Amino acid sequence: MVSVINTVDTSHEDMIHDAQMDYYGTRLATCSSDRSVKIFDVKNGGQILVADLRGHEGPVWQVAWAHPMYGNILASCSYDRKVIIWKEENNSWEKMYEYTGHDSSVNSVCWGPYDFGLILACGSSDGAISLLTFSGDQQWEIKKINNAHTIGCNAVSWAPAVVPGSLIDQPSGQKPNYIKRFVSGGCDNLVKLWKEEDGQWKEDQKLEAHSDWVRDVGWAPSIGLPSSTIASCSQDGRVFIWTCDDPSGNTWTAKLLHKFSDVVWHVSWSITGNILAVSGGDNKVTLWKESADGQWACISDINKGQGAVSNEQ
Amino acid sequence: NWLKNCDTTLFTFFCFLHPWGLCSNSFFLCISSGLSTGGCPFVHEVRKDEDICSPILRKLFNESHHIFVGLQGIRDDLPSKNKKTQFVSISKNYRSVIRACMEELQRISPVFFLQVSILLAVELIWNLCEVLFIDAAPAGSLLLHLLDWVRLHKADVDEKARDVLQSESPTEHQAYWDVVISYVLQGRMDEARQVLMKQAALQPAARGMFKLLDNLLIKMPIFNPSGAQTLTEFDVKWRHWHEEVDRCLQDQSFASNPHLEVICKILVGDEDVLLEHKELLSTWYHFLVTRLLFSHPIVKPTELHYYAQSSMHMFLDTRSVPEPLDSILLAAFEFDIHQVIKDCSIALNNWWFVAHLTDLMDHCKLLQSHNLHFGSNLREFLLLEYASGLFTHHSLWQLAVDYFDHCPEFGRVYLELQIERVPLDTERKALKVLRICEQRQMTEQVRSICKIMAKGALRNNRLGSALSWSIRAKDAAFATLISERFLQDYCANGAFSDLDLIDNLGSAMLLSDRLTFLGKYREFHRLYGEKCFSDAAKLLLSLMTAKIAPRTFWMTLLTDALPLLEQKEVIFSADQTHELMFCLEDLTSGNCLPKPDRDEDIDTTKIEILRLALARNLAKAIVKEGTVEV
């Protein structure tokens, strides 16, 4: 059974679109249609408002925490076509950088693995995906993939920083030969894989299975096996699990996790990548786990509708 | 495009598995509900099952961790008989830890009723698994072990007996006969006889009957595993006794005393009479063992499941559905280990129990005989789940490390992924985490943690701490950054902070050029302070000529040279002075950056002063070097 352990009253004046815990689970960032991004300290069940960040001129869709080794950095993206990167300096949060290179709403932001440096992927309704790389001293290098998805891109998610098969044949002492990859989902019903080659981003794979807009994608964390796993969910109510077992990353097979009765908005992997959380318009959050024989089973159901959760505090 | 008309959206999912054995998955799930009408400002943190990490449970985790680690250390090359004794002993250790935890919970408060009953069930199952699987008693001893098992879990008999015997008139106590019969049902003949004697004393007229029953009770054969008697011999003896008891019944020897007659019927194994005492037996497995005691004492392990099933059916109401505990015990009697583990995982939702039990059984090589494709990995799978849960706890996470260490396939990578999420609240905690990573050569994690700590220290202006962390992380870029800060601070304040650290850099100095310069520059100051002027002078010059010092710092260095130039005695030789002059010219000639007026003035004055000092020193030096000492 699931129980609520903490309810944070964010005082947002409109719909909340995203809530993300930081790396250690001690801070919570939320963003809303009220154009603000708020940061709370939620250690030990508390809720102290640490910052109320204003800077967007439209609903803010997503927030993403960068790895703590770069400091306390948060990225936010909004309908106002902007991506803002906020940084905590001397106990106060300030705008570190503002990116306005998109022509339409930016729907999704995702920080890459820390091994790649400080790099942010942004997906926008103008169909493009931008990659912002911090090159030091307030400078950000921009790379843009135009027409990544026709009509628009809804979600981006990075692959973990491993060379597939790294557990097996990694010569020690050498700087690892990282291949930067990420997955995106768009309004063209497609899930696309992107790879960086010689400094250029190229479309690596096109995965077709959905019959409506892809709303979210998630690349599962790696546990060192030579296989990769991606989850995608769509307006068509389906969640697919894509796996690739060969190290070259060429053959992807889709498995239908489940067909839900309503649009599925988000998918999210656990730290070790063995549990997937799915949420959707049917007002339910479900958890899925892969059993030993390769079938996915629902291990928990959480109903969260109006008044459906008993508040045990 | 942005009409997200959803009521519930899931955003963050961290799977933090909760350590309390009752629940399997807790996670920080942030669920925010947004309504199309105005919106709900609440964000809910959700965890599966409550956080009841009381100190008592902490003890359970700590002590079982200790036992676990000890178990992993048992050498494979020991002869199997010795190993079996050790394994049984370890199993008993685990059980005593469960018992201790249970008793303490009971003692503290009746509020923990649910947890106590779960622990009771857990210990019951574990005990049975120990008897059947680990100890693997053969026919003969098997029944004895099962009797022990039942007796251990039906301790209320002694309490009742105490009440009865301590009362004014025991034989008139309403529970008197219940006590006698309960003892008989548990095969505790001596105790039964003792209580019976009270009654016997009061009825001299019936002495003959009581003597007869007493005799039967004494003479009941009990198998002695270490004795010389074989199973067959015991069986023969037992059958004799059984026939004798039967004869007493046929002869109506106890007809006048219904209670004694009941006892006699029990002794002969009359199932209907046994079932009449359901309340005293209270469970079907008690009924099973009693039934076996009085009808099939040399039951073989392979025959158990038949008796178990029939006992359960006979005892339980036909309408009632078997509870999870019943299914688990039945699976155990059927020697279906995997089913036991599976049912326990589901019913108890308790990773602690299945993880430790499976690990023990894996060491006993009991899992390999089963033909499941993840047979040997079942142990690792359960241990990983359990340990992942421990990681959420602010201090129990350290126990989890050992569990991961003993998962050969995925333990290391799980540890790598989880250990980076331990909040580094204090430097002490960071050092603890670091030590764990360093011991396991997890260089990536070491670097990452050091970088995080360095960044944090820098943010709080603790330059010394930041520097030592970046040295530990072997992060040249960051070290350079911090050295710059040190130097800037020096220019601003005229003094160094964290002198101890800089003075004792040693070979770490070589990590970055700027750091090397910082170290050497500080050395210059030290030499100057100790009045080793010529050494200081030599060092200062070399900093510029060997290009260790950044050009931006040359002005400062030259200014530092001033007091050495102005000394009465000559420190810089003529050659050295020439070099200094060369550096100055080099600096001023290449300097065509536009500067605000004020700075230019200061600079010009400084340069003039330097030129003068250098010239004077050169003169003095030439004279000194040209002078012949007589």
Side-chain angles (χ1 to χ4, degrees):
Chain A
M1 285 285 92
V2 184
S3 48
V4 176
I5 57 165
N6 195 3
T7 299
V8 177
D9 183 354
T10 60
S11 303
H12 274 302
E13 292 151 22
D14 206 332
M15 242 200 271
I16 301 175
H17 294 292
D18 201 4
Q20 294 285 343
M21 292 281 232
D22 73 348
Y23 217 66
Y24 302 118
T26 50
R27 281 190 166 176
L28 174 70
T30 60
C31 62
S32 156
S33 273
D34 70 2
R35 307 164 187 194
S36 71
V37 173
K38 298 196 189 198
I39 300 176
F40 298 88
D41 186 333
V42 291
K43 239 202 310 208
N44 300 321
Q47 40 176 298
I48 306 165
L49 178 68
V50 166
D52 185 346
L53 308 172
R54 309 271 167 173
H56 281 294
E57 288 147 9
V60 188
W61 299 130
Q62 278 193 9
V63 284
W65 289 96
H67 192 276
M69 75 158 69
Y70 297 109
N72 283 347
I73 296 181
L74 184 74
S76 63
C77 64
S78 157
Y79 179 74
D80 69 356
R81 300 174 273 143
K82 288 199 270 194
V83 172
I84 300 182
I85 299 173
W86 313 84
K87 187 177 172 124
E88 188 185 30
E89 207 77 73
N90 304 322
N91 288 325
S92 77
W93 284 85
E94 278 144 23
K95 226 187 262 198
M96 180 190 180
Y97 181 66
E98 190 174 289
Y99 174 64
T100 48
H102 281 290
D103 307 319
S104 191
S105 166
V106 184
N107 301 319
S108 175
V109 278
C110 184
W111 290 103
Y114 67 75
D115 317 67
F116 298 165
L118 199 56
I119 177 166
L120 183 72
C122 322
S124 164
S125 289
D126 65 4
I129 298 175
S130 310
L131 293 121
L132 319 180
T133 314
F134 185 62
S135 45
D137 200 23
Q138 326 283 4
Q139 298 285 65
W140 291 79
E141 237 176 72
I142 317 287
K143 288 206 180 118
K144 205 161 172 210
I145 306 172
N146 283 307
N147 295 315
H149 291 273
T150 51
I151 313 177
C153 171
N154 293 328
V156 283
S157 169
W158 285 90
V162 284
V163 180
S166 63
L167 251 198
I168 305 159
D169 53 20
Q170 194 57 58
S172 64
Q174 253 186 39
K175 192 155 174 37
N177 190 15
Y178 290 128
I179 299 175
K180 296 197 185 108
R181 298 167 77 175
F182 69 88
V183 58
S184 67
C187 302
D188 51 7
N189 307 350
L190 293 174
V191 173
K192 289 194 182 179
L193 269 59
W194 305 89
K195 199 195 301 204
E196 192 191 43
E197 261 167 33
D198 307 320
Q200 297 282 69
W201 284 96
K202 302 211 172 81
E203 183 185 306
D204 185 40
Q205 292 284 320
K206 199 186 319 210
L207 307 177
E208 286 182 68
H210 288 292
S211 54
D212 207 338
W213 290 6
V214 177
R215 280 295 172 189
D216 201 7
V217 287
W219 202 309
S222 158
I223 47 168
L225 293 174
S227 63
S228 306
T229 310
I230 293 174
S232 67
C233 68
S234 155
Q235 203 103 13
D236 65 8
R238 291 191 181 83
V239 175
F240 279 101
I241 307 288
W242 306 85
T243 32
C244 173
D245 289 322
D246 72 287
S248 63
N250 289 331
T251 41
W252 290 83
T253 34
K255 188 187 294 190
L256 177 68
L257 178 84
H258 190 65
K259 163 107 178 42
F260 293 84
S261 56
D262 206 332
V263 57
V264 184
W265 291 114
H266 284 279
V267 286
S268 181
W269 290 99
S270 60
I271 308 179
T272 42
N274 57 351
I275 302 187
L276 180 71
V278 178
S279 72
D282 59 355
N283 227 22
K284 290 212 196 89
V285 178
T286 42
L287 305 175
W288 300 80
K289 198 164 179 168
E290 191 178 16
S291 66
D293 54 2
Q295 294 308 312
W296 287 83
C298 178
I299 62 171
S300 165
D301 241 275
I302 310 160
N303 257 320
K304 169 73 188 76
Q306 276 292 72
V309 164
S310 73
N311 209 334
E312 295 170 28
Q313 295 215 145
Chain B
N1 184 20
W2 64 283
L3 217 93
K4 293 189 180 184
N5 195 8
C6 54
D7 272 346
T8 310
T9 4
L10 167 70
F11 303 107
T12 292
F13 182 68
F14 269 120
C15 182
F16 288 144
L17 295 179
H18 197 285
W20 163 227
L22 269 188
C23 63
S24 68
N25 294 333
S26 303
F27 37 83
F28 291 118
L29 207 62
C30 289
I31 300 179
S32 80
S33 47
L35 303 170
S36 42
T37 55
C40 173
F42 292 112
V43 173
H44 300 273
E45 250 186 272
V46 162
R47 184 187 274 179
K48 197 171 177 190
D49 278 327
E50 267 177 73
D51 179 2
I52 357 175
C53 277
S54 65
I56 300 161
L57 296 173
R58 288 260 297 279
K59 246 174 91 178
L60 175 71
F61 297 131
N62 269 307
E63 293 185 6
S64 55
H65 162 261
H66 188 65
I67 302 172
F68 172 84
V69 173
L71 171 58
Q72 309 310 308
I74 290 186
R75 288 168 41 212
D76 253 340
D77 54 358
L78 283 179
S80 58
K81 205 170 123 214
N82 295 11
K83 274 203 269 187
K84 178 158 127 178
T85 335
Q86 276 199 295
F87 290 144
V88 171
S89 154
I90 286 173
S91 177
K92 289 198 198 306
N93 278 345
Y94 274 125
R95 279 173 41 222
S96 66
V97 165
I98 300 173
R99 281 228 151 219
C101 181
M102 191 167 54
E103 278 162 19
E104 244 195 276
L105 279 174
Q106 253 171 339
R107 204 173 45 82
I108 288 198
S109 163
V111 152
F112 295 122
F113 156 75
L114 181 64
Q115 289 84 302
V116 168
S117 57
I118 290 176
L119 283 172
L120 256 167
V122 160
E123 205 263 325
L124 180 77
I125 299 168
W126 193 307
N127 199 346
L128 184 61
C129 288
E130 181 186 303
V131 166
L132 297 176
F133 305 135
I134 301 173
D135 215 343
S141 326
L142 178 59
L143 181 64
L144 297 175
H145 287 247
L146 286 175
L147 269 174
D148 282 334
W149 175 63
V150 160
R151 285 171 191 167
L152 190 60
H153 295 96
K154 194 99 183 61
D156 63 348
V157 171
D158 292 300
E159 218 181 288
K160 247 197 259 174
R162 245 196 319 274
D163 283 343
V164 166
L165 292 172
Q166 284 173 358
S167 71
E168 281 203 16
S169 169
T171 51
E172 280 168 30
H173 196 290
Q174 64 175 80
Y176 176 78
W177 285 108
D178 281 346
V179 168
V180 177
I181 293 177
S182 295
Y183 275 138
V184 172
L185 290 170
Q186 282 192 10
R188 294 162 75 175
M189 303 315 183
D190 291 333
E191 286 101 323
R193 286 172 53 228
Q194 267 184 6
V195 182
L196 260 181
M197 266 199 286
K198 304 261 183 232
Q199 188 73 258
L202 290 180
Q203 296 187 29
R207 195 180 312 164
M209 251 200 306
F210 280 95
K211 198 90 206 321
L212 181 61
L213 186 61
D214 194 65
N215 214 6
L216 289 175
L217 290 171
I218 288 185
K219 287 205 311 201
M220 174 168 171
I222 304 286
F223 182 68
N224 184 352
S226 48
Q229 189 187 53
T230 68
L231 208 54
T232 333
E233 286 167 6
F234 168 76
D235 192 30
V236 167
K237 222 173 144 197
W238 187 82
R239 283 186 196 285
H240 271 292
W241 175 84
H242 188 87
E243 277 162 22
E244 204 181 322
V245 178
D246 203 23
R247 245 179 292 127
C248 292
L249 271 180
Q250 307 296 345
D251 293 344
Q252 308 264 336
S253 315
F254 300 110
S256 49
N257 190 326
H259 292 288
L260 297 185
E261 173 122 332
V262 157
I263 295 174
C264 191
K265 286 194 173 159
I266 291 174
L267 290 179
V268 93
D270 186 330
E271 284 169 2
D272 294 323
V273 170
L274 286 178
L275 285 170
E276 279 167 23
H277 292 93
K278 266 195 198 176
E279 262 186 55
L280 294 182
L281 290 166
S282 76
T283 60
W284 64 270
Y285 37 94
H286 190 335
F287 171 61
L288 162 68
V289 177
T290 305
R291 195 180 153 210
L292 290 171
L293 174 65
F294 295 119
S295 15
H296 313 277
I298 54 164
V299 62
K300 292 206 272 272
T302 46
E303 295 168 339
L304 259 184
H305 73 97
Y306 164 71
Y307 291 112
Q309 284 207 342
S310 51
S311 302
M312 195 167 94
H313 288 135
M314 283 194 259
F315 191 89
L316 293 179
D317 198 334
T318 42
R319 283 169 291 132
S320 69
V321 176
E323 287 182 16
L325 178 61
D326 297 327
S327 315
I328 293 170
L329 294 174
L330 200 58
F333 285 122
E334 289 167 1
F335 284 83
D336 192 345
I337 299 179
H338 284 268
Q339 193 65 34
V340 171
I341 296 171
K342 186 169 163 192
D343 288 346
C344 286
S345 303
I346 299 170
L348 296 172
N349 220 12
N350 184 337
W351 293 129
W352 178 88
F353 172 58
V354 288
H356 288 93
L357 182 63
T358 307
D359 173 58
L360 180 56
M361 299 221 269
D362 186 66
H363 273 94
C364 300
K365 307 268 189 283
L366 290 167
L367 294 180
Q368 291 174 4
S369 57
H370 291 250
N371 204 11
L372 283 172
H373 57 266
F374 57 90
S376 63
N377 285 333
L378 178 62
R379 167 191 172 272
E380 178 154 327
F381 173 79
L382 294 172
L383 284 176
L384 287 173
E385 296 282 350
Y386 171 65
S388 298
L390 280 183
F391 244 97
T392 62
H393 193 273
H394 63 89
S395 66
L396 289 177
W397 63 270
Q398 295 170 76
L399 302 180
V401 176
D402 284 314
Y403 286 96
F404 283 133
D405 281 344
H406 290 107
C407 291
E409 265 199 70
F410 296 117
R412 191 190 163 84
V413 66
Y414 265 65
L415 180 58
E416 284 173 2
L417 288 169
Q418 307 262 20
I419 202 144
E420 288 197 303
R421 304 282 180 162
V422 175
L424 306 169
D425 315 320
T426 60
E427 192 145 317
R428 206 163 135 241
K429 195 164 183 190
L431 287 170
K432 235 189 243 194
V433 175
L434 216 51
R435 198 184 29 238
I436 291 172
C437 294
E438 280 166 351
Q439 279 171 349
R440 289 156 182 78
Q441 280 98 46
M442 293 182 172
T443 43
E444 278 305 311
Q445 281 68 27
V446 167
R447 245 202 305 274
S448 160
I449 291 167
C450 289
K451 278 189 178 172
I452 295 170
M453 293 307 287
K455 198 86 192 166
L458 189 63
R459 238 197 341 266
N460 292 328
N461 272 319
R462 288 181 291 117
L463 292 181
S465 178
L467 185 60
S468 61
W469 281 114
S470 45
I471 290 173
R472 201 162 172 175
K474 299 207 188 9
D475 188 351
F478 212 62
T480 305
L481 192 81
I482 299 173
S483 309
E484 285 279 2
R485 282 282 294 271
F486 267 114
L487 293 167
Q488 281 168 17
D489 278 0
Y490 169 75
C491 288
N493 309 329
F496 281 114
S497 54
D498 302 282
L499 286 177
D500 269 344
L501 174 64
I502 306 174
D503 283 343
N504 294 313
L505 281 175
S507 56
M509 220 190 284
L510 301 170
L511 179 63
S512 107
D513 284 344
R514 194 64 86 253
L515 185 57
T516 316
F517 169 63
L518 178 66
K520 291 280 167 202
Y521 187 50
R522 164 66 198 146
E523 202 183 313
F524 161 73
H525 279 270
R526 229 176 358 103
L527 288 169
Y528 187 92
E530 288 163 13
K531 304 221 194 293
C532 307
F533 293 129
S534 59
D535 287 333
K538 232 191 303 198
L539 178 58
L540 184 66
L541 191 55
S542 69
L543 286 178
M544 283 186 285
T545 53
K547 306 268 189 282
I548 301 178
R551 275 183 80 94
T552 47
F553 219 76
W554 280 16
M555 206 56 203
T556 317
L557 289 177
L558 287 168
T559 322
D560 281 338
L562 263 178
L564 291 170
L565 292 166
E566 311 262 288
Q567 296 263 0
K568 253 210 230 143
E569 66 173 283
V570 175
I571 300 170
F572 285 102
S573 71
D575 284 337
Q576 285 175 328
T577 318
H578 269 126
E579 297 237 36
L580 281 174
M581 290 166 116
F582 182 71
C583 288
L584 181 58
E585 288 317 307
D586 197 7
L587 196 61
T588 51
S589 62
N591 205 353
C592 21
L593 293 168
K595 268 210 209 135
D597 287 327
R598 208 171 69 91
D599 278 355
E600 249 190 80
D601 281 343
I602 295 178
D603 265 1
T604 342
T605 330
K606 255 203 233 167
I607 294 170
E608 280 180 12
I609 298 177
L610 268 170
R611 287 218 175 97
L612 183 58
L614 282 166
R616 279 217 282 257
N617 193 65
L618 185 59
K620 281 195 284 180
I622 293 175
V623 169
K624 176 170 175 228
E625 282 159 33
T627 313
V628 172
E629 297 287 340
V630 175

